[in-house]
């Protein structure tokens, strides 16, 4: 009886590993495929016959760095993304604190309004936004990108942080109050450290959205001055050279890599954070 | 170091009364214990004293000054929360130090104060840990240390020892009482433990469903209960309450006959007598019944008798033993028999 149960558990384990390996392969193959395209000469990419032993080539690598200001695109991306996340946190943390802690009329409505800004199709506001930034004289700057990314992500960053704050027992703040702490101190010394996983989760998701943002970036950035990685991809599709697949693949891979590294590094917080946020709010 | 007056305090949530008509005048340096069943409003009353909850009606005064609109942080009370409420991201050391930091205690004095408090609650070896890495009892002691680390006007302690083993609880009880007496800090203390209530309190407040049933010294509460609720709440095992008829000073119920009672309350009444005021003897017996259970505890033996339809608890000699179903008679201490009105439960005097 016992032996039988043990055996079936063993089989179960094998099956589980098989499924997990299959899933891992499913996720990772496209990425590796991309990398392999990026590291092959152009002539090998568009042949109709399969190539089993591809030639390794750094053509695309040299090309993106030497023929294009990829370094600048990368810096633009990083600056716009980090800037937007910082703006989001500065605005979202106090907003979420207010929404989760203070009693006032219309609190729920305001919370829902903030969330609802996310429900609109972005294309609807594309044109007004273009004119807005033109009038502000911010077209073709990374400041505009920062603001736009921040605006796009602000609603759900606020919402995630709010749901984390709701999970903090009220007694904790009561204790801090009787100990003599003011609101800001409570926020800074008690609440923020306690919801750090939530803040990290929200920031990472905001970064991912920002990295992938294309529509508004294209609208705002008209010269390499404000190009980011995602828009740079579009550079390789037109022009006299046709579609440069290996360069596209390589740039896409480079854009993907930092996100991947960050997500792996904070994986523990992230998985806990996503489920925690999911149950509530 | 403060007198606390609660007058006509009410707390309502919608149509639900958490606390109703609470009037207590807590003297300076007094140790008050709230006792009552779960959900009777002890924590709520305490939170109103702390300023964490606004009373729906009534006035809270400290040293004569109305406190209703004063913020919790400006009231100078230290509270031990029922759920501990330790700051999860701070070490135990930082937790205990937090109130000192917030109240602007000079840095030089902080360390000594934290270590002294930690020592009193026997947590010196755990100061570097985070609350998450402590057991329930250790967390509770950390919460206690955070309250006693400074000298506020008022201590509020919401079941501060509920999670400790008997030995530690006894030790902490002595510490709390000592600190309170030494520093002369007005203290409000909530507990479910009668021994704690009796040993610590200057006065006990018995609450039920948001209302105060009786306020008195431990002796008054024990010897002179105002109604059946108080009578059965204090004392372990609880007071026997037997319904019967009183006429001409004689109480009668199946298996029970007591003569010589005050005759003014003829009719249906409830007679109360504590197990410790009963003696197993045939001489001048008031009660006869069959042995239903015998529980030796080493110190005393508890005997349960089936009398008519009800069970009566008797505290017998430690050597007492009897077979189930055996007939037995009991005499009450005639000076320690209580009479209560049967419907309302109010004491008849
Ligand atoms: N915020 C609230 N909203 C509505 N009802 C509440 C609220 N807080 C407490 N109550 C109710 O008020 C009553 C008294 O609660 P309280 O916490 O004071 O009880 P307690 O005497 O401390 O009980 P325990 O011994 O279980 O801690 C309870 O019935 C509780 O459900
Ligand atoms: Mg309580």
């Amino acid at each position: 009886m016992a032996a039988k149960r043990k055996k079936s558990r063993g089989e179960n384990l094998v099956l589980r590993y098989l499924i997990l390996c299959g899933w891992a392969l499913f996720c990772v193959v496209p990425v590796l495929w991309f990398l392999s395209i990026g590291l092959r000469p152009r002539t090998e990419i568009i042949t109709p016959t399969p190539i089993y032993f591809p030639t390794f080539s750094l053509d695309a690598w040299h090309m993106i760095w030497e023929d294009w200001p990829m370094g600048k695109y990368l810096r633009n991306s990083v600056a716009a993304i980090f800037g937007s996340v910082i703006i989001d946190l500065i605005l979202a943390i106090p907003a979420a604190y207010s929404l989760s802690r203070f009693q006032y009329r219309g609190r729920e409505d305001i919370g829902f309004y903030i969330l609802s800004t996310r429900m609109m199709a972005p294309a609807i506001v594309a044109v007004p936004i273009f004119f807005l930034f033109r009038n502000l004289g911010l077209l073709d700057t990374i400041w505009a990108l920062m603001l736009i990314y921040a605006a796009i992500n602000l609603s759900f960053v606020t919402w995630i942080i709010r749901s984390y704050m709701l999970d903090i027992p009220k007694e904790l703040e009561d204790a801090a109050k009787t100990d003599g702490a003011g609101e800001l101190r409570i926020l800074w010394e008690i609440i923020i450290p306690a919801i750090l996983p939530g803040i990290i989760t929200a920031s990472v998701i905001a970064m991912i959205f920002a990295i992938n943002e294309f529509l508004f970036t294209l609208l705002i950035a008209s010269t390499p001055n404000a190009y980011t990685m995602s828009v740079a991809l579009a550079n390789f599709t037109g022009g006299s050279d046709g579609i440069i697949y290996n360069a596209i693949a390589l740039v896409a891979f480079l854009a993907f890599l930092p996100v991947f590294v960050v997500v792996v590094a904070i994986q523990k917080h992230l998985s806990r954070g996503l489920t925690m946020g999911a149950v509530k709010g | 170091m403060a007198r606390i007056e609660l007058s006509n305090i009410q707390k309502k949530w919608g149509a639900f009364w958490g606390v109703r008509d609470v009037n207590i005048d807590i003297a300076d340096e007094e140790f008050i214990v709230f006792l009552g069943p779960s959900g009777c409003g002890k924590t709520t009353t305490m939170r109103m004293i702390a300023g964490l909850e606004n009373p729906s009606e009534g006035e809270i005064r400290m040293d004569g000054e109305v406190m209703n609109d004063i913020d919790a942080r400006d009231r100078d009370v230290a509270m031990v929360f029922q759920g501990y409420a330790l700051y999860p991201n701070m070490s135990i050391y930082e937790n205990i130090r937090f109130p000192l930091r917030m109240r602007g205690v000079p840095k030089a004095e902080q360390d000594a104060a934290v270590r002294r408090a930690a020592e009193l609650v026997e947590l010196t070896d755990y100061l570097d840990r985070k609350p998450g890495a402590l057991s329930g009892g250790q967390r509770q002691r950390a919460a206690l240390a955070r309250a006693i680390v400074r000298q506020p006007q008022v201590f509020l302690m919401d079941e501060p020892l509920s999670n400790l083993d008997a030995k530690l609880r006894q030790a902490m009880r002595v510490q709390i009482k000592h600190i309170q007496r030494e520093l002369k800090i007005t203290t409000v203390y909530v507990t479910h433990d009668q021994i704690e209530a009796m040993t610590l309190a200057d006065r006990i407040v018995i609450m039920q469903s948001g209302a105060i049933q009786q306020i008195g010294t431990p002796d008054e509460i024990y010897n002179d209960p105002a109604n059946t609720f108080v009578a059965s709440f204090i004392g372990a095992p609880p007071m026997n309450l037997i319904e019967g008829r009183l006429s001409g000073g004689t109480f009668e119920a199946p298996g029970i006959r007591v003569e010589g009672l005050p005759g003014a309350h003829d009719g249906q009444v409830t007679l109360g007598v504590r197990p410790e005021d009963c003696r197993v003897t045939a001489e001048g017996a008031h009660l006869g019944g069959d042995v239903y259970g015998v529980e030796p505890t080493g110190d005393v033996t508890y005997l349960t008798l089936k009398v008519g339809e009800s069970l009566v608890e008797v505290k017998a000699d430690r050597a007492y033993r009897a077979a189930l179903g055996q007939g037995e008679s009991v005499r009450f201490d005639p000076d320690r028999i209580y009479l209560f009105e049967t419907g309302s439960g109010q004491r008849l005097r």
Side-chain angles (χ1 to χ4, degrees):
Chain A
M1 175 74 195
K4 195 174 156 200
R5 188 185 295 158
K6 199 168 182 186
K7 193 175 151 218
S8 79
R9 199 194 288 157
E11 278 168 10
N12 231 332
L13 208 65
V14 171
L15 189 70
R16 238 185 280 172
Y17 274 113
L18 273 176
I19 293 175
L20 287 175
C21 285
W23 176 247
L25 224 64
F26 180 77
C27 294
V28 92
V29 158
V31 175
L32 294 178
W33 197 260
F34 247 65
L35 188 62
S36 97
I37 292 177
L39 297 178
R40 272 190 278 167
R42 274 187 90 186
T43 45
E44 264 188 30
I45 295 167
I46 332 182
T47 59
T49 47
I51 297 172
Y52 295 104
F53 301 101
T55 334
F56 175 76
S57 143
L58 286 175
D59 284 358
W61 178 263
H62 292 302
M63 182 183 145
I64 61 169
W65 295 107
E66 284 155 23
D67 299 357
W68 307 85
M70 197 52 59
K72 181 163 177 58
Y73 298 165
L74 196 63
R75 277 198 304 280
N76 283 347
S77 280
V78 169
I81 290 164
F82 276 96
S84 75
V85 170
I86 288 169
I87 294 173
D88 275 340
L89 292 181
I90 290 173
L91 295 175
I93 289 174
Y97 186 48
S98 159
L99 287 173
S100 66
R101 275 304 177 264
F102 300 117
Q103 298 287 340
Y104 47 86
R105 188 198 285 263
R107 186 182 70 160
E108 297 300 314
D109 296 334
I110 294 173
F112 187 74
Y113 164 74
I114 290 177
L115 188 66
S116 72
T117 57
R118 182 77 194 175
M119 297 172 184
M120 175 177 53
I124 296 173
V125 290
V127 173
I129 291 231
F130 177 80
F131 284 112
L132 183 70
F133 281 100
R134 196 187 61 181
N135 294 346
L136 288 171
L138 287 177
L139 282 186
D140 209 25
T141 62
I142 57 167
W143 305 113
L145 297 181
M146 239 181 246
L147 288 174
I148 287 186
Y149 297 164
I152 291 174
N153 289 328
L154 186 58
S155 59
F156 85 88
V157 171
T158 307
W159 205 256
I160 290 180
I161 293 178
R162 172 185 165 275
S163 75
Y164 273 82
M165 284 181 175
L166 288 174
D167 284 344
I168 298 180
K170 187 167 177 297
E171 253 192 7
L172 216 55
E173 283 170 61
D174 291 340
K177 262 187 234 166
T178 44
D179 283 346
E183 302 288 356
L184 280 180
R185 225 176 229 287
I186 294 177
L187 182 62
W188 188 248
E189 289 207 35
I190 312 285
I191 309 278
I192 291 183
I195 58 156
L196 210 53
I199 293 178
I200 292 172
T201 304
S203 306
V204 168
I205 297 175
M207 277 182 205
I208 293 173
F209 276 128
I211 271 187
N212 291 329
E213 209 293 321
F214 184 78
L215 174 67
F216 288 103
T217 314
L218 196 62
L219 204 66
I220 299 289
S222 45
T223 72
N225 189 33
Y227 273 6
T228 62
M229 299 285 273
S230 68
V231 169
L233 284 174
N235 279 335
F236 304 111
T237 57
S240 51
D241 286 344
I243 303 175
I244 313 170
Y245 286 108
N246 52 356
I248 293 180
L250 204 56
V251 172
F253 183 77
L254 287 180
F256 157 82
L257 206 58
V259 180
F260 180 71
V261 170
V262 168
V263 169
V264 168
I266 60 151
Q267 195 182 27
K268 212 175 73 193
H269 289 309
L270 197 61
S271 51
R272 184 177 146 230
L274 285 175
T275 50
M276 242 174 97
V279 190
K280 251 194 175 167
Chain B
M1 288 187 284
R3 173 180 179 198
I4 307 170
E5 292 158 277
L6 305 180
S7 42
N8 299 315
I9 295 290
Q10 328 265 1
K11 181 69 195 181
K12 274 208 283 189
W13 285 285
F16 178 82
W17 295 78
V19 165
R20 63 179 97 196
D21 244 340
V22 163
N23 287 287
I24 317 175
D25 189 346
I26 303 172
D28 190 14
E29 301 180 22
E30 190 170 1
F31 200 122
I32 285 275
V33 171
F34 283 12
L35 202 56
S38 185
C40 70
K42 306 180 294 291
T43 299
T44 306
T45 309
M46 237 186 200
R47 289 174 58 84
M48 288 191 283
I49 298 175
L52 298 169
E53 209 86 64
N54 275 325
S56 313
E57 264 168 65
E59 228 174 45
I60 298 174
R61 286 186 297 275
M62 284 188 195
D63 283 335
E65 191 188 340
V66 178
M67 298 303 276
N68 289 42
D69 294 328
I70 307 281
D71 239 23
R73 79 180 57 99
D74 301 321
R75 289 199 189 185
D76 199 19
V77 305
M79 181 156 175
V80 182
F81 287 82
Q82 197 169 0
Y84 316 153
L86 296 171
Y87 310 126
N89 51 296
M90 297 182 198
S91 67
I92 296 305
Y93 183 91
E94 282 303 323
N95 262 281
I96 301 175
R97 193 166 76 104
F98 189 76
L100 300 177
R101 229 159 27 93
M102 294 304 118
R103 302 282 177 185
V105 172
K107 266 228 163 62
E109 296 168 24
Q110 291 180 1
D111 184 67
V114 171
R115 290 187 187 281
R116 198 178 52 233
E119 199 171 323
L120 284 176
V121 300
E122 301 175 24
L123 273 185
T124 313
D125 296 340
Y126 300 90
L127 286 174
D128 296 334
R129 298 220 199 156
K130 294 272 174 70
L134 293 188
S135 75
Q138 290 164 342
R139 284 181 215 179
Q140 191 161 36
R141 281 180 280 151
L144 181 58
R146 188 177 59 186
I148 61 178
V149 73
R150 62 188 198 96
Q151 298 182 17
Q153 296 282 314
V154 181
F155 277 140
L156 301 173
M157 301 189 178
D158 201 348
E159 305 189 29
L161 308 180
S162 60
N163 236 332
L164 306 183
D165 62 63
K167 195 159 150 260
L168 207 47
R169 188 183 287 215
Q170 142 85 19
M172 293 297 116
R173 206 165 68 204
V174 172
Q175 294 293 6
I176 289 177
K177 183 138 188 177
H178 181 81
I179 292 170
Q180 195 267 343
R181 287 284 183 262
E182 188 177 60
L183 303 179
K184 302 185 186 338
I185 293 174
T186 313
T187 302
V188 181
Y189 189 103
V190 169
T191 179
H192 281 284
D193 185 325
Q194 284 189 41
I195 305 289
E196 255 173 53
M198 300 298 267
T199 51
L200 288 173
D202 292 323
R203 280 191 301 163
I204 295 179
V205 177
I206 308 262
M207 291 184 76
Q208 185 198 14
S209 322
I212 292 180
Q213 298 297 317
Q214 189 172 357
I215 305 180
T217 64
D219 282 346
E220 282 166 5
I221 299 275
Y222 180 83
N223 291 324
D224 209 1
N227 54 38
T228 48
F229 178 81
V230 175
S232 57
F233 201 77
I234 285 285
M239 182 185 283
N240 296 301
L241 295 170
I242 307 154
E243 283 185 30
R245 279 200 75 77
L246 186 67
S247 64
T250 300
F251 176 89
E252 276 184 307
I256 301 178
R257 185 183 164 86
V258 185
E259 288 169 6
L261 296 168
H265 311 291
D266 282 4
Q268 200 71 19
V269 299
T270 300
L271 178 140
V273 61
R274 293 193 186 278
E276 49 270 42
D277 297 327
C278 300
R279 204 153 45 86
V280 180
T281 171
E283 193 181 320
H286 294 123
L287 171 156
D290 300 331
V291 175
Y292 190 79
V294 179
E295 301 166 277
T297 66
D299 188 18
V300 296
T301 300
Y302 292 111
L303 162 67
T304 311
L305 292 175
K306 191 164 174 73
V307 184
E309 282 306 298
S310 47
L311 296 177
V312 172
E313 196 85 15
V314 174
K315 198 168 171 181
D317 196 70
R318 90 167 81 159
Y320 178 88
R321 295 292 183 275
L324 286 193
Q326 176 186 325
E328 197 63 274
S329 25
V330 165
R331 177 176 169 77
F332 305 148
D333 180 344
D335 297 333
R336 301 192 58 88
I337 293 172
Y338 306 90
L339 291 176
F340 303 95
E341 201 180 322
T342 289
S344 69
Q346 289 308 312
R347 176 87 173 273
L348 298 170
R349 292 168 199 270

